[in-house]
Amino acid sequence: MEICVVGAGIVGLSSAWFLHKAGHHVTVIDRAGGPGMGASAANGAQLSYSYVQPLADPSLLPGIAKLLLERNGPLKFSPQWNVEQWRWCVEFLAACRTSVSRQTTVELLALAHESRLALDEFISQEQVQCDFARSGKLVLYPDAQSLRKASEQVQFQAGKGARQQKIVGPEQAVSIEPALEGYKKAFHGAIHTDSECAVDGRKLCEELARLLSEQGVRFLFDSEVSGFQRERGSITALQIHHAIEGPGLLGAQAVVLAAGAYSAGLLSAFGVRMPVYPLKGYSITLPITDSMNAPTVSVTDMRRKTVFARIGDRLRVAGMVELCGLDASIPAKRIEQLKTSTQALFGLKANAVDCQPWTGWRPATPTGRPILAVSGCDNLYVNCGQGALGMTLAFGSAQRLVRLIDGTAS
């Protein structure tokens, strides 16, 4: 089939990769000027295959008011004149139940396992240069209560296919990652998983786009989908507006919406609601000039709700969750928070020139489950809603999408 994939982030490009491998003729369309320039550009860089517990969890509820009231807290809610924001929030709170959280965890562990195998095979076979590393991961917990809750989750996941996770004290954590020596008094314990990985999402997207282009896949960048032509319940063409060439039509036998935070708006043209909302996050990327203090293991600090990942000769630092619509501003105080966290954990300082401040929108569903479905039309498919796990789940989601399109989904 002639299939148009809308979105050239990691979800769209991995979808294009497996669709092409399945024998389809693929065109990738993106509003940006190149691959991986949206949420994939500078995300947290961690591939968290064993850490897929959704944000919607009952453990969040007791402290949510405190998080929202903290002046510089990691969670921020900016009320909008937008019914969809409030509806998503209500659905999110309704999903904060143990039964829902655990069922979602089980489903995401299976998807993450499938994704791990697919990405490992891709990197091994194609020999792509994307700063991929099997670095392992440490998640630091500030007190006994939070570590106990995390230990319960580890025990639950152990019977559901999660890779081995070990509970360690501060001394053992420092032996695993010596760069944490100066921070060991600030956390009570940690969970270590030596099989977790890290990757530069932007580089991975660029490598995917390069390989796809070499194999004949067509790319239309600087092109925004402005509408659809339909006939007898199916899409026959996309209305495209190119930044320079202007409007045009692109014929298609099937369409995949993988445009991240923009997917819900495109789907609304069919009168179909997709419960996906953009969760804004921030990152900085620092050149590593002091290898003694820079971590090699990926680290997540639950006190500061901040993640750290080594990608080549750089350190990616990311965090925050803001519900504020498609706001692309980067407040200086948010970047200062990331810089402060980096100095607190590792003693590394960053100046304004070096830190490469960035913001992006994680397209999230209330439950944390991605959407892989036929929606709106007979030949319109959706691959969206992976939230903060976009890099982790992309390859598995793409394989399931192809099975859905080809009629082999179980």
Side-chain angles (χ1 to χ4, degrees), residues 1-5 229 234-238 250-255 379:
M1 283 195 297
E2 296 285 346
I3 300 180
C4 290
V5 176
Q229 283 193 352
S234 296
I235 295 173
T236 57
L238 288 77
L250 178 64
Q253 293 176 295
V255 176
N379 61 344

Side-chain angles (χ1 to χ4, degrees), residues 298-373:
S298 292
V299 174
T300 296
D301 183 23
M302 296 304 292
R303 179 189 299 278
R304 298 171 180 271
K305 304 294 191 293
T306 305
V307 302
F308 305 83
R310 179 83 167 258
I311 44 175
D313 58 359
R314 296 158 296 141
L315 180 65
R316 176 68 49 75
V317 185
M320 308 356 165
V321 173
E322 295 186 359
L323 286 82
C324 55
L326 296 174
D327 173 15
S329 65
I330 304 179
K333 65 180 181 181
R334 284 309 207 182
I335 301 306
E336 286 303 316
Q337 284 177 255
L338 295 175
K339 290 160 66 175
T340 298
S341 294
T342 307
Q343 186 170 359
L345 267 76
F346 306 111
L348 299 174
K349 296 183 179 181
N351 60 48
V353 176
D354 290 337
C355 72
Q356 301 177 39
W358 174 87
T359 190
W361 305 298
R362 315 171 187 99
T365 63
T367 62
R369 298 177 190 135
I371 298 172
L372 296 163

